[in-house]
Amino acid sequence: MAFLLRVELPDVPGSLGALATALGSAGADIEAIEIVEHRSDGVALDDVLLELPPTVMPDSLVTACHELEGVRVHWISRYNAGVNLRMDLEAVEEFTEDPARAIAKLVEVVPTTFRVDWAIAIRPDGDGIEVVGASSAAPRLDNGDVPQAVGWTALAESATLPEIEAWDSTVLAAAPGRPRDGRPVTIVVGRHGGPAFLTSELARLGHMVSLAASVQTPS
């Protein structure tokens, strides 16, 4: 069973090794570790993708982490996107290989690249909204939250953290892009229940959407 653990730890030599040892002793099989953020206060945030046998409870990992000095668990949950973390360059390769579908291809790889539950690309279309691309788990936008979505999609000029009442249990991030056809598009991503998006993640998303938009060829 795959889990994703976001953990805060001292940004010093040896701390990551101590974390890996503690998780292994608790029964976890670590698949990948990715540094999410280096902070100026000497703290790092890491995402740890791991496998747990059915006999091991996730709470035991939290306990093992908190026994280490300076380590704090931000979030742990089931990881449904599979057991591979896509790096940004791999995502870029995906959408540059098919410029005619660059935005749609980016949407497909965003969930694993950013560890989110879903992604969707939308643009204003008259009084409604057009879906340019959507991952398999993306919500439908043909209900009462559409006017709100259209509102911030039309106005957003940079990566942002929108709040939509209909999705109040989901943490959202959005980033706009302007393909060469001149029609603005916004990619929205969601995490059910968290964790909150970091400033560095929002910046990465904004950069990725802008790059995909510049690659997208007019249809």
Side-chain angles (χ1 to χ4, degrees):
M1 188 177 299
F3 283 84
L4 185 66
L5 172 75
R6 174 162 291 180
V7 63
E8 173 185 306
L9 67 163
D11 193 8
V12 297
S15 61
L16 189 55
L19 174 66
T21 298
L23 293 174
S25 298
D29 183 11
I30 297 175
E31 298 285 346
I33 298 178
E34 182 175 343
I35 298 172
V36 178
E37 188 173 69
H38 287 287
R39 297 203 321 228
S40 59
D41 59 357
V43 170
L45 286 178
D46 291 356
D47 279 352
V48 184
L49 182 62
L50 46 84
E51 287 277 345
L52 283 183
T55 55
V56 177
M57 299 297 292
D59 289 351
S60 64
L61 301 185
V62 177
T63 300
C65 290
H66 287 171
E67 288 178 352
L68 300 174
E69 184 176 356
V71 174
R72 182 169 69 91
V73 173
H74 281 220
W75 184 69
I76 184 171
S77 81
R78 289 284 304 276
Y79 185 65
N80 296 321
V83 293
N84 292 303
L85 292 178
R86 287 181 182 269
M87 301 300 289
D88 289 6
L89 288 179
E90 293 175 324
V92 171
E93 289 175 359
E94 286 282 343
F95 64 73
T96 54
E97 288 178 356
D98 190 358
R101 298 185 62 250
I103 295 294
K105 294 294 289 186
L106 175 59
V107 167
E108 292 175 6
V109 300
V110 157
T112 47
T113 305
F114 288 88
R115 277 87 65 201
V116 296
D117 293 289
W118 54 263
I120 190 168
I122 56 178
R123 60 169 39 127
D125 183 22
D127 294 331
I129 198 166
E130 176 189 0
V131 177
V132 181
S135 65
S136 59
R140 293 173 58 87
L141 292 180
D142 55 358
N143 52 42
D145 60 324
V146 170
Q148 296 182 65
V150 172
W152 57 255
T153 300
L155 296 174
E157 296 181 356
S158 60
T160 186
L161 300 172
E163 294 183 4
I164 297 179
E165 186 176 350
W167 300 337
D168 59 2
S169 63
T170 303
V171 179
L172 301 173
R178 186 174 290 276
R180 280 179 277 178
D181 63 6
R183 298 182 62 198
V185 63
T186 297
I187 290 184
V188 188
V189 301
R191 285 177 177 151
H192 298 311
F197 287 95
L198 302 172
T199 302
S200 58
E201 290 180 297
L202 197 60
R204 284 175 54 220
L205 180 64
H207 176 73
M208 197 78 72
V209 174
S210 178
L211 182 58
S214 70
V215 169
Q216 178 83 33
T217 55
S219 57

